[in-house]
Amino acid sequence: MRLLASLYESADLPDAVVTPSGSLSRHDLLEQASRLAGRIAGAPIVAVEATPDLSTVVAVTGALLAGVPIVPIPPDAGDLERAHILRDSGAAALLSGGDLAELPVTRETLDAALVLYTSGTTGAPKGVVISPGAIAADLDALAGAWQWTADDTLVHGLPLYHVHGLVLGVLGPLRLGCRLIHTGRPTPQAYAAAPGTVYFGVPTVWSRIAADPAAARALAPARLLVSGSAPLPAPVFDGLAALTGRSPVERYGMTETLITVSARAGGERRPGQVGLPLPGVGTRLVDESGAPLPSDGVTIGHLQVQGPTLLDGYLSPDGVRPPELTGGWFPTGDVATIAPDGWHRIVGRASTDLIKTGGYRVGAGEVEDALLLHPAVREAAVVGIPHPDLGEQITAFVVADPVAPADLIDFVAARLAAHKRPRAVHLVDGLPRNAMGKVQKSLLIAH
């Protein structure tokens, strides 16, 4: 199919895909995937146990060759989550480690490439239906933005059931014809030992690499260090730049939109900002009533996007339910600022990262970055806790060496406007994170 054209058109590469479980040449991958495609052809949809190894790459490739939509299942999914995904998707089969188990068919044939389930923070996980055309448009736009070609070697250790690890990290190399090295786990040592030109990571990964100078320096020959899935703290950005000689490229996206905004390989990189819209993508800011807001680099608004990378809709018992758009614009649920030159800064989720306190609107990320400048602070997460007078109280959860909470409050107050300082600081042993390294702030708010 068109999405995987490079498998047919590119010359063979002996180790086109490398994982801890082994490696495959491009021809061997095509042969194994084609055999699998013949076994599942005609199925309405198949689920894939998305372990970080060759079996998942073969399964995904085979399903795409067969024109069968894929539902990746996290290998560490609990029984309830797993049962929900299988039941809700109506998968006719489950591919696991090369084995194929048939399931009761409960759905008509679906015209899609992927069904990715959201994290379910506001209810049961929803199946996001993504077309081959949306994936192709996104990967081609990123290839231009990152100067990503068949000559690259991509290295990452990200889960293979999200946009970052699966769409960019597996389908990207398959479409563009470049080599893929999956490290199994995204440890500093594994990244340092894998020779690549492009490395993908989430902020947690990059933070650990920046804290390991030897591992970070080993990445100096790389062409691009790409960070996404959550905001990269400015101190980590600066640390990577100092140790590797290369400022990381940040990008923004979500399951429903794929990647829509990114810094460019040949352009400027700014800490705390994710760059410019990709070709064909439009963005805008609106207020709570939907009225447009200015792109002045200061005004925080609700981010909306439009373009060819949007989802087809959400899976429902009756088929695919189209997303609710406003004049063709998709509401991301994130809040951001857009500078006059088009650069975007993602403040965070509207539900947890835009804090309304004492009549002010404060972005949690700005306060977190200020806290991370303190030499004792290793991690920080800031949320708004309901408050009878302020509306919301700026509250920080901090992983740090011994330090007095009052000292951290004063430290922030000396660097930001007084109304942006935390009113309370809780010292904790760790922050709750999901598989992609994002802090689960809803758990902190309920603390």
Side-chain angles (χ1 to χ4, degrees), residues 135-151:
I135 295 172
D138 202 49
L139 293 175
D140 291 349
L142 288 171
W146 295 345
Q147 300 171 13
W148 187 5
T149 73
D151 294 329

Side-chain angles (χ1 to χ4, degrees), residues 293-363:
L293 292 172
S295 297
D296 56 13
V298 177
T299 303
I300 298 174
H302 295 265
L303 180 64
Q304 298 183 339
V305 303
Q306 61 178 195
T309 67
L310 295 186
L311 75 165
D312 284 353
Y314 296 99
L315 210 57
S316 73
D318 302 322
V320 179
R321 174 172 54 85
E324 294 183 7
L325 304 180
T326 303
W329 293 91
F330 180 81
T332 65
D334 288 321
V335 286
T337 66
I338 302 177
D341 61 1
W343 271 72
H344 290 54
R345 178 174 66 87
I346 306 300
V347 173
R349 298 299 291 172
S351 57
T352 56
D353 292 301
L354 180 61
I355 303 171
K356 299 175 183 178
T357 179
Y360 295 99
R361 296 156 63 92
V362 177

